Amino acid sequence: MQFTGILWPTFALVALIYGVWFVLYVQRFALMRRTPPTAESFASGEAAKRYFQPAEMPANNFINLFEIPVLFFALVPLLMITHHANHVQVALAWAFVVLRALHSYIQIAVGKIPPRFIVYLASCAVLSAMWIGFAVDIALAG
């Protein structure tokens, strides 16, 4: 039987991504109501970027949630298929998701770069530990 506890932090990360997308949607539509776009607002990619600049942080965070977390989403099925989704991996997965949520909050609501960078590095370290642990488990199993 596979250990499926690893799916709960995965669901939580998916919920975070949808939550950030929703914040982005709300902020962009609020901007469009306050300042209706013109044809010039979207004449080029640079013009659109300037127009949406007030809603830039949720957009940047949304993009960021499809960078490093891709490695998390790649690891989860491998852990399940190989039956290495143990309690340590689940705890690390929750730590990763909590750090990513904190990173999103800091980027969108707080805007302070030094604490955001520290949280980002911590989340990368946790994900690296997950991958290293998986590699070691596979090496020892083989």
Side-chain angles (χ1 to χ4, degrees):
M1 183 173 141
Q2 292 188 76
F3 186 74
T4 57
I6 196 78
L7 291 176
W8 294 109
T10 306
F11 294 148
L13 186 55
V14 169
L16 173 65
I17 292 168
Y18 274 107
V20 170
W21 173 80
F22 182 74
V23 169
L24 171 61
Y25 175 85
V26 167
Q27 286 192 12
R28 282 191 172 177
F29 274 87
L31 173 66
M32 291 170 74
R33 276 193 303 273
R34 282 191 317 272
T35 311
T38 63
E40 292 81 33
S41 300
F42 298 105
S44 69
E46 195 58 41
K49 209 174 197 179
R50 275 192 308 277
Y51 175 77
F52 283 120
Q53 197 279 329
E56 177 183 25
M57 284 307 143
N60 289 346
N61 189 257
F62 187 70
I63 291 166
N64 189 262
L65 287 168
F66 290 96
E67 293 172 350
I68 289 296
V70 167
L71 295 174
F72 176 83
F73 288 124
L75 180 58
V76 168
L78 293 173
L79 289 168
M80 291 181 71
I81 290 167
T82 61
H83 302 279
H84 286 95
N86 57 42
H87 294 292
V88 173
Q89 288 287 13
V90 172
L92 288 170
W94 276 117
F96 177 74
V97 171
V98 167
L99 288 166
R100 293 307 307 189
L102 183 58
H103 176 269
S104 293
Y105 173 76
I106 294 169
Q107 185 168 14
I108 294 168
V110 178
K112 303 256 187 213
I113 293 173
R116 187 178 98 210
F117 183 66
I118 290 167
V119 171
Y120 174 79
L121 283 180
S123 72
C124 290
V126 169
L127 185 58
S128 295
M130 289 180 73
W131 273 100
I132 291 167
F134 177 59
V136 168
D137 285 348
I138 293 298
L140 293 175

